[in-house]
Amino acid sequence: MKKYKYCCIGAGGIAKWKHLPGYGALENIEICAICDINENAFDWVKEKYPGIRTYRDYPEMLDSEKPDIVSICTPNKFHKQMTIDAFKAGAHVHCEKPMAMNEQEALDMIKARDKYDKRLMIGLNNRFTNEAFFIRDYISNGHLGDIYYTRCGWRRRRGIPGMGGWFTQKALSGGGPLIDLGVHMIDLSMYMMDSPEPITVSASTYRKFEGCKTRNMVFDPKKNGIFDVEDLAVGFVRFANGASLSFEVSFAMNNDEEEWFYELFGTKGGVKYRKGKLAIYSEMNDTLVDIYPDTNYKTKALDEFRHFIDVIEKKKKNISPAEDARKMMKLIEAAYESADLGKEKSV
Ligand SMILES: NC(=O)c1ccc[n+]([C@@H]2O[C@H](COP(=O)([O-])OP(=O)(O)OC[C@H]3O[C@@H](n4cnc5c(N)ncnc54)[C@H](O)[C@@H]3O)[C@@H](O)[C@H]2O)c1
């Protein structure tokens, strides 16, 4: 069995709770090193992975370690260059979502992937849940018929991720909840429809919670930080196949509890996913039926990290390919332009 040398760039939240535990659980992965510009970010690394090497400079890490696989777990602004540099260093790349800041960057990453003949997977972990696995299968068996409308969103009441930190600075993040949270639920809706081509989008964005002093903020705000992204984005997308999609995503709004959801409406049935729970609305014997699949079983139907190894070894088709993420970047870019212009925009 081949053993893969693995490195991670960025030692923040997503490296800690997703990438290192995910790759660390695989028998054919050797976790070699992690890099972060902030020395304090290594506290948990030293405690949980005492044997791995730490670097402050990622080109130095790539050069010294010569990894087979690299995860990109840094703020969105750095995804493109780090991905391209990792390809150049001979590694396959598992890059966090959103793929990049805009479509051009996504195209540059795809070009480099092909030039260096490497694999690229985007960390859209919601594609790898038991629920997503079930719905894809259910749809491919024809149970929903033709899906012509979807509605999705991720609405937080006071969930601004570190107001003033990189998530709320457009220059580092590319935008607010649309590019951060929307990317998950809009992606799932499109994935379930087999990635139709978006042709137009009409969106509005709002920033109403700058300087908000609530004690109930989920994530600690940073003092005197920049907050120049939207805290709510809403929109409507038309696809080339005639289907449409509406979305609502917020970091903060005066609503009830946080929820993330997508709903698919087809000619034979509908599916609602909300916070890890599924409901199917259909007909049987000319009678309405509601079905509640229990997808909360122990074994994961799909493992994002094992899947990437299978993709590298050409055993499986990439479930979260850069091409889909590029389409998403194009849609998000057009949605922001639509909101700025105050009118519908071609995608
Ligand atoms: N898949 C998901 O559900 C999910 C969830 C959270 C975050 N993310 C994504 O993961 C990425 C990181 O988010 P996070 O929550 O871990 O952020 P974070 O702020 O917790 O961590 C980012 C880390 O990158 C480091 N960093 C910044 N510039 C660097 C550089 N030039 N070289 C090396 N390290 C550098 C920072 O010091 C920080 O420790 C983002 O793209 C985000 O959108 C995905």
Side-chain angles (χ1 to χ4, degrees):
M1 181 175 53
K2 177 171 165 56
K3 198 129 180 154
Y4 293 92
K5 286 177 18 178
Y6 170 81
C7 286
C8 184
I9 310 181
I14 201 69
K16 181 180 176 180
W17 67 257
K18 178 177 154 183
H19 287 255
L20 265 74
Y23 281 110
L26 301 184
E27 59 289 346
N28 51 349
I29 288 282
E30 181 196 350
I31 300 189
C32 298
I34 189 164
C35 167
D36 203 291
I37 45 168
N38 176 6
E39 184 70 36
N40 296 333
F42 298 137
D43 288 354
W44 64 270
V45 176
K46 286 173 186 156
E47 192 184 311
K48 288 200 166 163
Y49 304 88
I52 79 168
R53 293 172 285 282
T54 55
Y55 291 80
R56 300 287 294 278
D57 179 57
Y58 80 87
E60 189 194 332
M61 178 175 77
L62 295 175
D63 195 41
S64 308
E65 301 287 339
K66 306 207 171 6
D68 302 302
I69 300 173
V70 169
S71 290
I72 310 292
C73 297
T74 50
N76 310 341
K77 177 184 165 51
F78 307 113
H79 290 186
K80 177 191 116 170
Q81 199 53 52
M82 288 174 172
T83 296
I84 294 174
D85 290 342
F87 287 147
K88 274 189 201 160
H92 302 288
V93 174
H94 186 175
C95 177
E96 259 313 318
K97 51 56 59 178
M99 181 173 176
M101 300 283 273
N102 52 49
E103 192 199 11
Q104 187 54 55
E105 290 193 357
L107 287 167
D108 293 345
M109 291 159 80
I110 291 174
K111 204 169 148 196
R113 175 199 68 185
D114 296 343
K115 180 175 170 190
Y116 294 100
D117 191 21
K118 293 292 158 198
R119 310 285 96 72
L120 172 59
M121 189 171 84
I122 310 304
L124 289 158
N125 42 291
N126 287 290
R127 288 188 177 207
F128 292 88
T129 61
N130 290 355
E131 295 77 44
F133 180 78
F134 177 91
I135 300 174
R136 279 281 292 189
D137 216 24
Y138 192 73
I139 291 171
S140 68
N141 285 323
H143 294 303
L144 292 196
D146 177 30
I147 304 169
Y148 53 92
Y149 177 58
T150 81
R151 176 177 172 266
C152 65
W154 193 321
R155 303 188 303 193
R156 288 183 178 166
R157 186 171 180 179
R158 291 291 184 277
I160 303 172
M163 181 159 47
W166 75 262
F167 277 100
T168 65
Q169 295 182 41
K170 201 170 172 73
L172 292 172
S173 62
L178 178 56
I179 198 166
D180 183 45
L181 306 175
V183 97
H184 280 301
M185 293 299 130
I186 299 172
D187 174 70
L188 279 178
S189 305
M190 287 171 61
Y191 177 55
M192 296 306 167
M193 290 193 289
D194 259 342
S195 299
E197 276 307 319
I199 49 171
T200 61
V201 56
S202 180
S204 293
T205 56
Y206 302 88
R207 184 166 64 250
K208 302 290 182 189
F209 287 82
E210 197 177 354
C212 168
K213 289 193 173 58
T214 179
R215 296 190 179 91
N216 306 82
M217 204 64 91
V218 179
F219 307 99
D220 292 337
K222 312 254 179 308
K223 265 198 179 156
N224 307 320
I226 298 169
F227 183 1
D228 63 356
V229 299
E230 83 280 4
D231 45 40
L232 169 70
V234 298
F236 183 77
V237 182
R238 284 194 174 81
F239 296 100
N241 66 359
S244 56
L245 172 151
S246 68
F247 64 83
E248 277 183 18
V249 284
S250 71
F251 279 162
M253 70 192 295
N254 286 318
N255 191 31
D256 54 4
E257 59 169 21
E258 174 172 2
E259 61 171 349
W260 53 98
F261 61 93
Y262 61 96
E263 301 171 347
L264 310 165
F265 299 96
T267 46
K268 288 193 191 165
V271 169
K272 289 192 181 189
Y273 165 91
R274 183 177 181 273
K275 297 175 77 166
K277 294 247 180 310
L278 279 181
I280 292 170
Y281 303 97
S282 190
E283 282 190 24
M284 206 183 276
N285 300 346
D286 295 331
T287 307
L288 294 181
V289 290
D290 300 352
I291 305 167
Y292 302 101
D294 181 1
T295 47
N296 195 21
Y297 43 84
K298 276 194 201 127
T299 351
K300 277 194 262 178
L302 283 166
D303 179 287
E304 186 174 343
F305 311 93
R306 200 174 289 284
H307 178 72
F308 194 38
I309 305 285
D310 286 341
V311 170
I312 290 167
E313 294 180 351
K314 300 189 174 152
K315 289 182 185 154
K316 294 223 167 114
K317 194 168 164 243
N318 194 343
I319 281 184
S320 187
E323 281 71 13
D324 287 2
R326 184 219 35 99
K327 200 180 282 183
M328 177 62 55
M329 294 319 305
K330 191 175 176 200
L331 170 56
I332 286 175
E333 215 179 328
Y336 280 131
E337 280 170 26
S338 156
D340 285 348
L341 292 168
K343 61 179 187 186
E344 189 173 67
K345 188 79 188 54
S346 298
V347 178

